[in-house]
């Protein structure tokens, strides 16, 4: 090998070397994401009508600069699920969408996904409204080929080892704070997700609770919190939004980056290093 050839080889080898992430993300066995409705950060954090949510925030990580992407509700759900609002600027139904999303990205890596929507009449039902169920809050329903992943909340397993890799939980409008109020949403979350939250702390799993948007009286500042053994409890001032949450999941599982999530920064600065024990 000549000196010139050696120098070219060294140059090219350096140029294509992968750049490591400064904050390596964990790989939870399961992630459950609960999406609540139309409340600002100030309406939730410190509110005595939400004692359970505030207790979770004390035990886990509370993001003090978390924001919705837009208004109204529906495009925010689409942003979290697919990295794009798809030009949707209303709650119109039905939508027929196509293209990559969180579910297809997980499937491509041999992983699993499901959406559990309260009051959805039956698995795969494309209905726009059924009592307190509204499809505008259930993004997976807009991809016809994902009908098998569109499940009623009654299908949420009691044996949490049977959960998919990533799950969305969509309370209906009585319990997502849209119609029923903050106290009703807080009570529903405790009744239906507290057992998972406790289990997650012992089983390398993660609970995320977030809101789609604020109440239109601010700058779309919403509460987002995480609970899991892979976290350092406390507060984070990192600015995040629905694209950042999606990018975080993509980084955790080595998924394809999708649409606007490519330009988002994953959640950083809150993760324990491998081998560190979490607070139970």
């Amino acid at each position: 090998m000549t000196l010139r050839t050696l120098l070219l080889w060294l140059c090219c080898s350096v140029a294509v070397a992968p750049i490591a992430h400064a904050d390596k993300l964990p790989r939870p066995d399961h992630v459950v994401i609960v999406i609540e409705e139309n409340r600002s950060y100030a309406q939730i954090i410190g509110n005595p009508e939400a004692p359970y949510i505030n207790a979770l925030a004390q035990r886990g990580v509370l993001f003090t600069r978390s924001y919705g992407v837009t208004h109204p509700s529906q495009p925010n759900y689409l942003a979290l699920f697919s990295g794009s609002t798809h030009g949707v600027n209303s709650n119109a139904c039905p939508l027929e969408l196509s293209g990559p999303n969180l579910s297809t990205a997980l499937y491509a890596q041999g992983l699993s996904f499901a959406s559990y929507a309260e009051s959805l009449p039956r698995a795969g039902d494309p209905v726009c409204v059924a009592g307190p169920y509204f499809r505008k809050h259930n993004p997976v329903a807009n991809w016809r080929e994902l009908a098998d992943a569109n499940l009623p909340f009654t299908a949420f397993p009691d044996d949490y080892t049977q959960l998919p890799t990533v799950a969305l939980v969509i309370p209906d409008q009585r319990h997502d704070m849209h119609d029923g109020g903050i106290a009703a949403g807080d009570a529903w979350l405790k009744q239906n997700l507290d057992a998972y939250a406790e289990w997650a702390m012992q089983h390398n799993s993660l609970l995320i609770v977030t809101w789609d948007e604020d109440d239109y009286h601010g700058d779309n500042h919403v509460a987002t919190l995480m609970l899991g053994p892979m976290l350092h409890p406390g507060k984070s001032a990192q600015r995040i939004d629905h694209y950042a949450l999606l990018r975080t999941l993509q980084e955790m599982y080595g998924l394809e980056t999708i649409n606007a999530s490519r330009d988002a920064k994953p959640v950083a600065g809150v993760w324990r290093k491998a081998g560190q024990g979490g607070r139970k």
Side-chain angles (χ1 to χ4, degrees), residues 128-226:
C128 285
V129 179
Y133 165 81
F134 281 75
R135 176 170 153 174
K136 63 183 179 179
H137 299 154
N138 185 17
V140 70
N142 299 307
W143 277 258
R144 186 177 300 178
E145 67 272 21
L146 300 180
D148 290 347
N150 183 19
L151 304 175
F153 186 70
T154 52
F156 193 85
D158 294 325
D159 177 0
Y160 301 131
T161 65
Q162 300 303 305
L163 280 165
T165 309
V166 178
L168 296 184
V169 169
I170 312 295
D172 67 28
Q173 288 202 171
R174 299 169 301 173
H175 301 128
D176 64 4
M177 304 188 185
H178 187 285
D179 293 346
I182 293 172
D186 187 79
W188 188 92
L189 189 67
K190 181 177 182 179
Q191 179 179 348
N192 291 281
L193 274 301
D194 184 58
Y196 169 77
E198 296 301 321
W199 181 89
M201 291 297 295
Q202 304 291 336
H203 293 89
N204 186 40
S205 294
L206 179 65
L207 173 66
I208 302 174
V209 182
T210 191
W211 276 254
D212 66 330
E213 59 176 339
D214 71 4
D215 60 346
Y216 286 77
H217 291 124
D219 56 356
N220 227 353
H221 185 199
V222 297
T224 296
L225 59 96
M226 296 183 180

Side-chain angles (χ1 to χ4, degrees), residues 13 24 45 63 68 95 105 127 141 148-149 154-155 184 195 209 211 235 237 249 253-254 266:
S13 296
K24 182 175 176 59
I45 301 305
F63 294 87
L95 299 178
V127 65
D148 290 347
T154 52
V209 182
W211 276 254
K235 294 181 179 180
L249 296 170
Y253 297 108

